[in-house]
């Protein structure tokens, strides 16, 4: 082989290598795990998990938490669960004593968490054995796709088409807040809402907003009920029908909303729950403080009575 041909071959090899590396840099393999989930009849997201390599569980994905909890009736029957401590914990209903077990391993899909402390409480979403917080996926991008019923775990933000929009968010520890508009009569009022997949309903309004806009008198009351937190604390709620609710530019008319009856500051924050969340596909890039949404096939589904 003459030297000119050899040199051309070497240059071609370098060029091909550079193109290949450039392509890898531009289009890295982003999806590191695809985890199926079940959307329960109560609008909760249920993931199958394995505890300590032995016990199969159904855990609710909780967007307003960062740990792992199990309900008492399940935890006491698990062969692999060792309860070895007790301490006081807080929920929105108040402080409560809770047992816990340390040194546990949990697997969901390819994800594994070792040396985990699991707390025991009273309630989780119906048909689930406990909860896993979104904060457990720290450092990863979490895509929640209701069209395909899968949770996608990414190392970076995936390519998003033009139907995705960025939400305005605030963060407070493991809590993620966004902003929505409530239509009351012919007027729109902005309010801040906790993104809360553990709440199965659509919208829960805080006491200050309810009093400021006199919603008990201005909205038709559909029913009264009770709401229980994870540790069994009970609060009375009223359900009403609001003329409209909007998240970004997307919204609905005649949306059921709940609010608490009683003293100001009992319900300190408004909540957007599973009946709204399921109508979008979500991308949570919490490391960069970004959340993106895209309307999905459930967007125009009727609101239930939950």
């Amino acid at each position: 082989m003459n030297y000119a041909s050899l040199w051309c071959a070497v240059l071609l090899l370098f060029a091909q290598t550079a193109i290949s590396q450039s392509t890898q840099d531009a289009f890295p393999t982003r999806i590191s795990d695809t985890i199926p989930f079940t959307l329960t009849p109560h609008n909760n997201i249920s993931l199958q998990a394995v505890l300590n390599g032995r016990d199969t569980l159904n855990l609710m994905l909780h967007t307003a938490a960062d740990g792992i909890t199990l309900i008492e009736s399940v935890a006491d029957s698990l062969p692999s669960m060792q309860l070895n401590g007790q301490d006081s914990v807080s929920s929105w209903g108040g402080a409560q004593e809770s047992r816990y077990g340390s040194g546990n391993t949990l697997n969901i899909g390819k994800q594994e968490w070792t040396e985990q402390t699991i707390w025991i409480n009273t309630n989780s979403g119906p048909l689930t054995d406990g909860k896993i917080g979104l904060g457990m996926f720290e450092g990863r991008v979490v895509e929640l796709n209701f069209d395909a019923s899968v949770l996608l775990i990414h190392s970076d933000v995936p390519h998003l088409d033009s139907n995705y929009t960025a939400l305005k968010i605030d963060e407070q520890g493991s809590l993620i807040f966004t902003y929505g508009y409530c239509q009351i009569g012919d007027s729109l009022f902005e309010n801040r809402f906790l993104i809360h997949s553990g709440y199965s309903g659509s919208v829960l309004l805080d006491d200050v907003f309810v009093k400021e806009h006199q919603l008990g008198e201005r909205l038709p009351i559909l029913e009264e009920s009770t709401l229980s937190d994870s540790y069994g604390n009970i609060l009375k709620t009223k359900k009403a029908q609001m003329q409209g609710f909007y998240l970004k530019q997307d919204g609905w008319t005649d949306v059921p909303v709940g609010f608490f009856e009683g003293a100001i500051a009992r319900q300190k924050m408004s909540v957007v729950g599973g009946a709204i969340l399921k109508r979008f596909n979500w991308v949570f890039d919490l490391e960069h403080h970004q959340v993106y949404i895209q309307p999905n096939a459930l967007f125009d589904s009727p609101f239930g009575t939950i």
Side-chain angles (χ1 to χ4, degrees):
M1 177 184 296
N2 64 44
Y3 287 107
S5 298
L6 179 59
W7 182 243
C8 288
V10 170
L11 289 177
L12 179 60
L13 178 60
F14 274 114
Q16 290 173 336
T17 302
I19 292 170
S20 176
Q21 185 62 48
S22 175
T23 302
Q24 290 175 15
D25 291 342
F27 303 101
T29 302
R30 297 180 183 272
I31 297 176
S32 60
D33 203 357
T34 302
I35 303 169
F37 71 77
T38 299
L39 179 63
T40 75
H42 293 264
N43 298 323
N44 297 135
I45 301 156
S46 178
L47 302 169
Q48 190 171 91
V50 177
L51 178 66
N52 297 321
R54 181 174 180 181
D55 297 313
T56 300
L57 302 168
N58 293 311
L59 298 182
M60 181 182 73
L61 179 67
H62 198 315
T63 57
D66 59 2
I68 306 167
T69 63
L70 292 177
I71 59 176
E72 288 179 329
S73 58
V74 170
D76 288 335
S77 66
L78 295 176
S80 71
M81 185 72 181
Q82 297 292 326
L83 298 176
N84 50 21
Q86 183 168 315
D87 204 347
S88 178
V89 296
S90 297
S91 67
W92 56 256
Q96 191 84 18
E97 288 294 311
S98 177
R99 296 179 295 160
Y100 64 83
S102 57
N104 296 283
T105 297
L106 187 77
N107 293 86
I108 298 179
K110 297 176 185 176
Q111 310 301 305
E112 180 175 274
W113 298 269
T114 59
E115 296 300 320
Q116 293 297 306
T117 296
I118 298 179
W119 292 87
I120 311 305
N121 55 35
T122 304
N123 296 317
S124 183
L127 306 178
T128 66
D129 303 312
K131 301 182 283 289
I132 181 168
L134 187 63
M136 294 296 293
F137 299 93
E138 183 179 4
R140 313 302 295 277
V141 175
V142 177
E143 180 180 355
L144 189 56
N145 189 310
F146 285 93
D147 286 321
S149 296
V150 293
L151 189 70
L152 304 171
I153 310 301
H154 303 272
S155 58
D156 199 356
V157 177
H159 172 74
L160 302 177
D161 65 35
S162 59
N163 291 324
Y164 275 92
T165 58
L167 282 183
K168 176 185 176 184
I169 65 167
D170 296 331
E171 295 175 68
Q172 183 180 327
S174 61
L175 305 181
I176 311 166
F177 296 87
T178 190
Y179 291 81
Y181 289 91
C182 298
Q183 182 182 348
I184 303 167
D186 295 326
S187 301
L188 287 177
F189 301 96
E190 186 181 43
N191 197 19
R192 191 174 82 150
F193 292 88
L194 174 66
I195 299 173
H196 194 328
S197 63
Y199 176 58
S200 61
S202 54
V203 176
L204 183 65
L205 295 169
D206 67 88
D207 294 329
V208 172
F209 186 86
V210 170
K211 183 177 182 180
E212 180 181 353
H213 300 289
Q214 299 180 320
L215 298 190
E217 293 76 37
R218 297 178 66 183
L219 298 181
I221 304 300
L222 304 177
E223 63 180 76
E224 297 187 12
S225 60
T226 60
L227 187 67
S228 177
D229 75 356
S230 295
Y231 295 91
N233 298 295
I234 301 294
L235 296 175
K236 291 184 178 180
T237 69
K238 290 185 177 181
K239 182 176 289 183
Q241 184 168 284
M242 193 164 60
Q243 283 79 14
F245 179 74
Y246 300 87
L247 203 56
K248 293 288 286 190
Q249 70 271 21
D250 301 302
W252 310 266
T253 59
D254 299 328
V255 177
V257 299
F259 53 89
F260 287 118
E261 186 180 44
I264 287 293
R266 186 63 189 251
Q267 177 61 19
K268 297 180 180 180
M269 60 186 71
S270 290
V271 168
V272 58
I276 297 291
L277 303 184
K278 71 178 184 181
R279 299 164 191 271
F280 297 93
N281 296 327
W282 296 75
V283 175
F284 295 91
D285 178 19
L286 300 185
E287 186 173 4
H288 298 101
H289 313 290
Q290 296 287 335
V291 175
Y292 306 90
I293 58 172
Q294 175 197 54
N296 63 30
L298 295 173
F299 186 83
D300 291 321
S301 60
F303 285 94
T305 57
I306 295 175

